Amino acid sequence: MNQTSPRLLFIGCVFLFVFMYAPLLVVIVFSLTPTEYGVSWEGFTLKWYQAVFDNKNIQAALKVSLMVTIPSVLIATAIGTITAFTLYRSKFIGRALFQGVLYIPLIMPDLVIGISLLLFYTSLNLELGILTILMAHVSFTIPLTTLVIIARMQRIDRNLEDAAMDLGADEWTTMRKVTLPLLKPGILAAALLAFPWSFNDFVITFFVSGVGSSTLPIRVYSMIRLGVSPIINALGTLIVVLPLILVVLGLLLERRRMG
Amino acid sequence: MKQVASVELAHVVKRYGDVIAVNDLSLVIGEGEFFSLLGPSGCGKTTTLRLIGGLETPDSGEVYISGEVVNDRPPYERSSNIVFQNYALFPHLTVNDNIAFGLRLKSRRTPEPEVKKLVAQALELVHLEDFGARRPIQLSGGQQQRVALARALILRPKVLLLDEPLGALDRKLRKAMQKELRRIQQEVNITFVYVTHDQEEAMSMSDRVAVMRNGDFEQIGSPQEIFQSPQTRFTADFMGACNIYSGRVIAADAGEVGCASAGTVQIETETGFTVMSRNNLELSSGAATSFSI
Ligand SMILES: Nc1ncnc2c1ncn2[C@@H]1O[C@H](COP(=O)(O)OP(=O)(O)OP(=O)(O)O)[C@@H](O)[C@H]1O
Ligand SMILES: [Mg+2]
């Protein structure tokens, strides 16, 4: 019994990983073979990657995506930090309510958020395009960044801020020299999570994007509608693998910097 | 010439929700005095220090430092510093930078060579010369405690509030640090408000000792007074008089009126012994009392 339990657990783990990553592996494998239809391996090629890089539509969509994601991550992280500070530090009436309301979008269906944002923007007579996509991304990313930063903030020892003030630092200096540095890992984590959160969004973006302003996921979707091409496999692989490489590189650099 | 009190509390009350942490506390501490707070856990010692340091504002009553009401003054505008009970070292800074934190603030504008010199001195003082480059997490509890001490001492405040500053040190190091602290305190004439659990420490270092209970003072006096003639059973108990007897006064001599030296009193205990004592408390015949030996 004691012998079999760990083994069962191990087999369960293997199943879990296969279940999660096998589909991804299929995509990667078929991005590297010239087979256009069906599922057989016909030798190695990079031509689908070449096709991705040559595709003007994909380039345009990637540009839109980055133009949306980078500013929205920065804005949402900044606002998330300020919101977290406000919620955690001050004791205004209805604080708990406000904090609760903030998290509702995290469990609300994207469909509902998308439709309501669409109605909201059109009722403001805003023209659908990059601006509306950006606004939408900021608004659905803020709850995430705030949540992550508050979680980190709750773990900061209040005594440290007291100590800084006792040693002569005013509120502003205390925030700059003690609270923010201690919060930095949380802020960084929030931004790292917010990036794919915004970059990968399909449903909400679908509602608030206008003609000619497709982000990458939307472009992929419309390409699939015209028939699945191995280009999609190559593109999918790139989207998964490139950020991974970036993160690993970043970690390595960080480790070297720390000595 | 009337000396201005260094620290004064006047009927200070501090509540946390339903808990009354400090209850109508009044206290005058003279300049350069070494004043110790003794009392069981949860009696309000830390809260008292935080009230003086400005990290808590009293619900009622006044806090004075050097004769001025400081109730509304934030901690960074008070000439006091705290050595925190749990050290409160900044984990993202090295030991050097922790100790230099106060000096480097804009409000003090210490030139960097001066900072370096003072930090080196402070490290030497607490016997941590080789630890300046480490982070707090790489130090033992006792070492962290000494960094906290150095960080506050380096600013040479008028009032230093120490919350069990030597609690984590072994006996030998503690003795050495006690000596150093006493020396610095007398040399720079800093007022010390010193919380400790160690009665021996309180007795050997303090000018005066206050015994606290449930947010109020039970007795304030010189170490000798507190130890030799505890006014209440609680104080006697707390000061470690393990043999407390209750009895009834069978004969009392109040002593000469207006004379400092008290008369004598004769007490019969519940178990039937008879004891003679000085009549400090002006007991009269027939009163119920308790005493310790
Ligand atoms: N932030 C707080 N919120 C609620 N209650 C508190 C708070 N700080 C202290 N108290 C309560 O106030 C009382 C006094 O606390 P304080 O920390 O001053 O005790 P202490 O004498 O320093 O004890 P110890 O010797 O254990 O350090 C305690 O009953 C404590 O539970
Ligand atoms: Mg305490």
Side-chain angles (χ1 to χ4, degrees):
Chain A
M1 185 63 203
N2 285 342
Q3 289 287 314
T4 52
S5 288
R7 186 173 302 164
L8 270 179
L9 275 177
F10 178 73
I11 294 172
C13 275
V14 170
F15 262 108
L16 184 69
F17 274 84
V18 169
F19 194 71
M20 286 198 312
Y21 290 111
L24 201 60
L25 215 62
V26 170
V27 167
I28 294 176
V29 167
F30 284 103
S31 74
L32 292 168
T33 189
T35 323
E36 188 135 5
Y37 305 102
V39 282
S40 62
W41 177 262
E42 290 170 9
F44 179 83
T45 178
L46 284 176
K47 76 171 189 183
W48 303 121
Y49 290 89
Q50 189 62 45
V52 168
F53 290 117
D54 290 343
N55 190 316
K56 290 276 181 301
N57 284 334
I58 291 179
Q59 283 171 11
L62 179 65
K63 204 173 131 200
V64 172
S65 269
L66 291 179
M67 274 167 68
V68 167
T69 292
I70 293 173
S72 68
V73 166
L74 292 179
I75 297 171
T77 307
I79 294 182
T81 308
I82 297 168
T83 314
F85 260 100
T86 318
L87 281 178
Y88 192 61
R89 282 292 169 260
S90 45
K91 290 197 174 75
F92 57 90
I93 305 160
R95 186 177 146 270
L97 181 75
F98 194 85
Q99 191 162 345
V101 168
L102 188 70
Y103 298 148
I104 292 179
L106 291 175
I107 51 166
M108 209 152 71
D110 284 358
L111 213 57
V112 178
I113 300 179
I115 292 171
S116 58
L117 284 176
L118 174 64
L119 285 176
F120 182 61
Y121 294 152
T122 45
S123 71
L124 288 178
N125 277 330
L126 287 174
E127 198 183 323
L128 296 183
I130 290 192
L131 184 69
T132 49
I133 303 179
L134 177 61
M135 283 163 62
H137 278 232
V138 168
S139 59
F140 75 72
T141 309
I142 286 176
L144 177 78
T145 51
T146 310
L147 183 74
V148 173
I149 295 170
I150 281 191
R152 174 78 196 183
M153 199 166 234
Q154 279 164 345
R155 283 173 38 211
I156 294 183
D157 181 3
R158 275 281 182 107
N159 267 312
L160 297 176
E161 286 162 319
D162 283 347
M165 298 236 254
D166 181 70
L167 292 167
D170 56 26
E171 284 88 356
W172 170 244
T173 314
T174 299
M175 193 179 100
R176 215 162 39 84
K177 291 203 158 185
V178 175
T179 320
L180 273 182
L182 291 175
L183 214 52
K184 208 173 79 183
I187 295 174
L188 224 71
L192 274 179
L193 282 174
F195 196 92
W197 182 262
S198 158
F199 190 86
N200 297 337
D201 177 73
F202 172 76
V203 178
I204 299 172
T205 314
F206 183 77
F207 282 96
V208 296
S209 59
V211 212
S213 57
S214 301
T215 60
L216 205 52
I218 303 239
R219 170 60 58 194
V220 169
Y221 176 68
S222 56
M223 283 165 75
I224 292 175
R225 276 200 308 185
L226 302 175
V228 183
S229 149
I231 281 195
I232 305 293
N233 294 339
L235 183 60
T237 305
L238 285 174
I239 292 178
V240 171
V241 172
L242 276 185
L244 217 62
I245 293 176
L246 281 181
V247 168
V248 170
L249 271 182
L251 284 177
L252 284 180
L253 278 179
E254 177 75 7
R255 190 160 303 168
R256 176 170 305 175
R257 202 175 58 85
M258 300 291 277
Chain B
M1 190 189 88
K2 190 181 175 297
Q3 219 191 357
V4 180
S6 178
V7 175
E8 185 176 347
L9 302 180
H11 302 289
V12 170
V13 177
K14 179 69 198 177
R15 287 186 203 86
Y16 295 109
D18 299 338
V19 183
I20 303 185
V22 162
N23 191 7
D24 197 30
L25 206 62
S26 294
L27 166 71
V28 179
I29 303 176
E31 201 156 304
E33 190 173 4
F34 196 122
F35 191 91
S36 288
L37 289 177
L38 272 173
S41 183
C43 71
K45 303 179 298 290
T46 298
T47 308
T48 307
L49 293 193
R50 290 175 63 88
L51 283 161
I52 300 171
L55 297 173
E56 306 287 352
T57 36
D59 293 318
S60 65
E62 267 83 43
V63 179
Y64 300 83
I65 294 181
S66 305
E68 281 176 75
V69 181
V70 291
N71 280 25
D72 298 325
R73 228 187 266 172
Y76 47 86
E77 284 172 15
R78 299 193 187 192
S79 44
S80 60
N81 284 116
I82 301 188
V83 179
F84 286 82
Q85 187 169 17
N86 55 4
Y87 324 141
L89 300 179
F90 306 122
H92 61 296
L93 300 179
T94 61
V95 167
N96 279 331
D97 293 342
N98 262 283
I99 296 177
F101 188 90
L103 291 176
R104 285 202 181 124
L105 292 171
K106 267 209 211 77
S107 49
R108 288 203 182 78
R109 276 204 203 84
T110 321
E112 199 52 33
E114 178 79 2
V115 171
K116 290 242 157 56
K117 204 185 90 200
L118 290 172
V119 168
Q121 280 176 7
L123 279 174
E124 197 180 336
L125 183 75
V126 295
H127 307 294
L128 288 175
E129 293 93 333
D130 300 330
F131 293 82
R134 294 210 198 174
R135 304 247 166 180
I137 199 162
Q138 300 167 313
L139 299 179
S140 75
Q143 289 165 342
Q144 291 181 34
Q145 192 161 45
R146 282 178 279 158
V147 176
L149 199 55
R151 185 177 67 175
L153 273 174
I154 200 171
L155 299 176
R156 295 285 186 259
K158 278 194 198 152
V159 181
L160 192 60
L161 310 162
L162 305 102
D163 206 343
E164 296 183 40
L166 309 180
L169 306 185
D170 63 75
R171 198 180 152 73
K172 196 168 155 228
L173 189 54
R174 184 190 298 213
K175 288 276 170 238
M177 293 305 300
Q178 283 173 1
K179 235 168 96 185
E180 291 287 1
L181 279 181
R182 189 70 175 143
R183 184 181 62 73
I184 293 166
Q185 191 253 339
Q186 285 169 342
E187 202 175 278
V188 197
N189 202 33
I190 306 178
T191 307
F192 270 35
V193 185
Y194 194 96
V195 170
T196 176
H197 270 138
D198 180 346
Q199 297 149 29
E200 202 190 317
E201 186 169 280
M203 290 301 149
S204 62
M205 297 174 80
S206 324
D207 298 316
R208 277 192 306 156
V209 175
V211 178
M212 260 185 111
R213 176 195 194 183
N214 294 336
D216 199 359
F217 290 133
E218 193 78 2
Q219 185 174 351
I220 304 179
S222 69
Q224 288 74 19
E225 279 166 4
I226 299 273
F227 199 66
Q228 285 170 6
S229 33
Q231 303 281 301
T232 63
R233 189 189 175 119
F234 178 84
T235 307
D237 223 351
F238 191 77
M239 293 316 294
C242 45
N243 40 3
I244 295 174
Y245 303 95
S246 343
R248 191 160 288 280
V249 178
I250 49 175
D253 167 11
E256 287 166 51
V257 178
C259 182
S261 68
T264 54
V265 64
Q266 210 172 353
I267 303 166
E268 189 182 62
T269 66
E270 283 159 350
T271 45
F273 293 104
T274 309
V275 187
M276 290 273 279
S277 164
R278 285 195 301 159
N279 193 359
N280 289 336
L281 304 176
E282 292 172 22
L283 295 167
S284 52
S285 196
T289 185
S290 63
F291 61 93
S292 63
I293 300 171

